[in-house]
Amino acid sequence: MKGDLGRPTQPDAERSGEAPPTFTGNRGLQIEEPLIYEIGRGDVSGVDLPDPPKVAARLGGLERADPPGNPGLSEPETMRHYVRLSQKNYAIDSGIFPLGSCTMKHNPRLNEKTARLPGFADIHPLQPQSTVEGGIALIAELGRRLTELTGMAAVAMSPRAGAHGELCGMLAIKAALEAAGETRSVVLVPDSAHGTNPATAATLGYDIVEVPARPDGTVDPAAVRERLNDTVAAIMLTNPNTAGLFERDVIAIAEAVHAAGAYFYADGANFNAIVGKARPGDLGVDAMHINLHKTFSTPHGGGGPGSGPVVLSEALAPFAPLPFVHVAAGVPRLVETDDDAPAGAHPFGRLTAFHGQMGMFVRAMAYMLSHGLDGMRQASEDAVLNANYVRACLSDLMSQPYGDRTCMHEVLFDDAFLKDSGVTTLDFAKALIDEGFHPMTVYFPLVVHGAMLIEPTESESKASLDLFVASLRDLALRVGRGEVDRFRQAPRLAPRSRLDETRAARKPVLTYTAPESYRSAAE
Amino acid sequence: MSTHYTRDHEWIRVEGDAALVGISNYAQEQLGDIVFIELPATGKSFKKGDEFAVVESVKAASEVYMPVSGEVIEANAALGDDPASVNSAAETDGWLVRVKLSDAAELEALLDADAYAAYLGTL
Amino acid sequence: MRYLPHSETDRATMLARIGAATIDDLFADIPEDARAPVYAGLPDAKSEFAVERELATYADRNVAAGAAPFFVGAGAYRHHVPATVDHIIQRSEFMTAYTPYQPEIAQGTLQVLFEFQTQVARLTGMEVANASMYDGSTAAAEAVLMAHRITRRGKAIVSGGVHPQYRDVIDTVSRASGHPVDNLPPDPGGTEDIAAAIDGDTSCVVVQMPSFYGHLRDLGPIATRAHEAGALLVAVFTEAVAFGAITPPGAMGADIVAGEGQSIGNPLTFGGPYVGLLAARAKHVRQMPGRLAGETVDADGRRGFVLTLSTREQHIRRDRATSNICTNSGLCALAFSVHMTLLGDAGLKRLAALNHANAVRLAETLAAVPGVTVLNETFFNEFTIRVPGDAAEIVERLAEAGVLGGVPVSRLQGRGKGLDDLIVVAATELTSAEDDQAFAAALAEVTS
């Protein structure tokens, strides 16, 4: 076994897998970990279960003939497998995670504790509503707070993530237009938008028309007006935008959009910058999703789960999807079918089974209660303060695409300062890994050449930021001195050196297959 | 057997009564390591300027447009196993499709090798 | 505020470094009319114990599944989750990591996803699986859109045995994207002839196995008929544990399998977060939505994992992506994977056998209640009963009697559709003979 550690399951002639520097391949506390398929056994289980009582099976002759082929591990082996794997991950709990647009803030453990109360974790979405009144009340109260914070009329709680929320908001817009007898075919999207915006609009059959930014990185209302006509259904605008700038003409844009009979969808991914400072409802927004896993601190978990409630304006509120909470005589009730909908409600349909991400709702509620309005406003201010501090500390060495101007919760650099150095944005990011940091978001937004988007969040102390900017300054100076190898060979100190993404994409290996050569060698 | 180019960096070379179409060497350099190519079915017809294929690198997908109108009579099957040949031989073995031209006169509007080289100099 | 590190001195020092006089200078781009809004009903910060106390008042008003004889299923199932699972998913390095966009420092997450994909593919009998979707219902809708891309047709035929809310989600997404759906009538008896509905425009047939009403059937003939017509078979499931006992869709000719993975490793949590599973034939991988982890090597030739085939995805392909999905269910996928690793083939088989045996015992117990009929010949751990009276009222009265006795079909299908006397009931490894007896007694009581 030992000799195989870290060796490709499908080795090829290109690269044979050189001998690791130690016998085991381990490096001190960094321990190589095989796949469960290399260490598990079909007849081992880490779960003890009683003998099933003998019954006359009612499986209709469809008994599974062959076992799936997923080997088991005992409990200690399982623990060790996953603990070792975990040690190859960077996390917010280990250091600054300055991914722009991702809002990697502290995840309070109180949130985890409360979400695990049996009254939340051990309730079924379809047990009688009379037995889950507390759950429904919590959804109603969280929803109320979200509408209050955003200055909007209503909220759809069921979307399971931000992009799912986009679908929800755009479907509400589509339904409202259809109810007015209109068919509109175009959605305006700024060229700096998250990829989910055009992808969502395209899913709904809309044609996308891009709106380029003006030289200062924001959207010009004139550019929007030029593209508006009676075929435009909506504009999808992120504010603050993906360059970290507040769209200062947002009200003019909203007025122009409304004058054309279209709707204003706001991508709320960057809401963390303005909670307690401004309300989207006051800016002319008709629909906006809120990423509870960003702004309200529910954990990202290596890619999810998320939660994407959508706040809606008066005009769109009647079209909110099933299910929704309806409060009658002070008692909140879940409306789950069209038959059940109160007068005036025209739900556009259903986006998911059940009622949304309850586990995330509890966490977000814990966050809101803990911060209070004063704490949430302070968090936004600190997030913006931190981003501007990073900007101020780096503006002499790193280049900014739209000039050195006040940003919101994130600061955007480009690769002009790397020009002709032989170091790319990717190299620069990988060098940060060797310094013990997670890199910033790179190559997004796509319209900025070699973009590097830094979002420190409010969770970083001044000391943490000082070390981070000092490291970036050191790296920028090394680029200037022509120390190219440090960058091109980075990372050298991570659990893996630079991974070959081209190989992964050319010959995809997406599931484990036992390598024949190893099998025969072992026999 | 001269090769014509477009400003979108496709090339076309008439061979007999058909023509080979691919992306230029400049285009493959810009794309970087090519990992997958989505090719059209044989028998499909395209007009000049229609998208007929997609060339993918790890982080980008680029549409490829028909330099002239025509019907696809063969797609380069070897690219399925070896998309990298577009990197190593973009204007020879890395051709994408063989087409039957609808209107050979359309070739006249394209750039010849010298004009294309001059055009690249302006980019 | 305990989560915010800055002292007032820090803030003043930083503002000075920035060259701003006040914090509000940094918010100057917000239009003046929209600044400093007044909020109603949002209280100030609270201590940790005050928050705990307040949230407990909500939790205390709910009847936890473990506090009563419990038979509710219909798409979410109460299974035991080993303590190890919850411990591992709460490790900082898993819980507070982001999507693994920097693979060199995310090998933990990436190897887990690679193992997860393999586990899901093998469980469902398919060749590839993605790194998870939001839940089973959204996975099912994505599977339908995927089938449309593969077949270049647009009509889905959806079995009356598919979970009603899954049908609603497929409907909503299809209608919005301009694709017709042929929804067959609800099929509580498990007798529909779906193959007869297939025609030359059909992109896919969507069949749930076990069905919403609990029936099992051989999907082979449906697959054959679909393939003859150039259509695909999309198999949907809500109870992943079933495939420890029954033949998986992949072995019966399914082209795409989409379902809910909650049963393995994830608590009920009132419906979410859950984990959508999506598996397919390898030849269709480029039409799959969502993230995929793949194996590769690093610059030193060592094995490693990365996110791959990303050109399918919205962050690169934008309006031409296979889906708008970005966030998945990473942490729930981890919970699934840890639990599956603990079980292994042997444990899963035993768990499935226990579920089935408990369900058979429950069916026999309920069938003995006067006026109650079990509709199913076949089932795994869930089946449908006909009760003498209105099912919704009966379930409500059962709850008053302290028994959570299943899901009235009318709650999901709407009333007055000939389904008002049907209840879907489920048993799992946690259901005891005493629970069965309590259910039967209460049912006899409320229906007499």
Side-chain angles (χ1 to χ4, degrees), chain A residues 177-197:
Chain A
L177 286 168
E178 278 168 13
E182 294 207 53
T183 46
R184 294 178 173 231
S185 57
V186 172
V187 169
L188 304 184
V189 181
D191 56 7
S192 62
H194 295 111
T196 49
N197 297 174

Side-chain angles (χ1 to χ4, degrees), chain A residues 127-145:
Chain A
Q127 62 187 73
Q129 290 202 21
S130 57
T131 65
V132 286
E133 285 171 357
I136 297 168
L138 185 131
I139 295 176
E141 176 59 13
L142 179 66
R144 185 192 70 77
R145 286 170 185 249

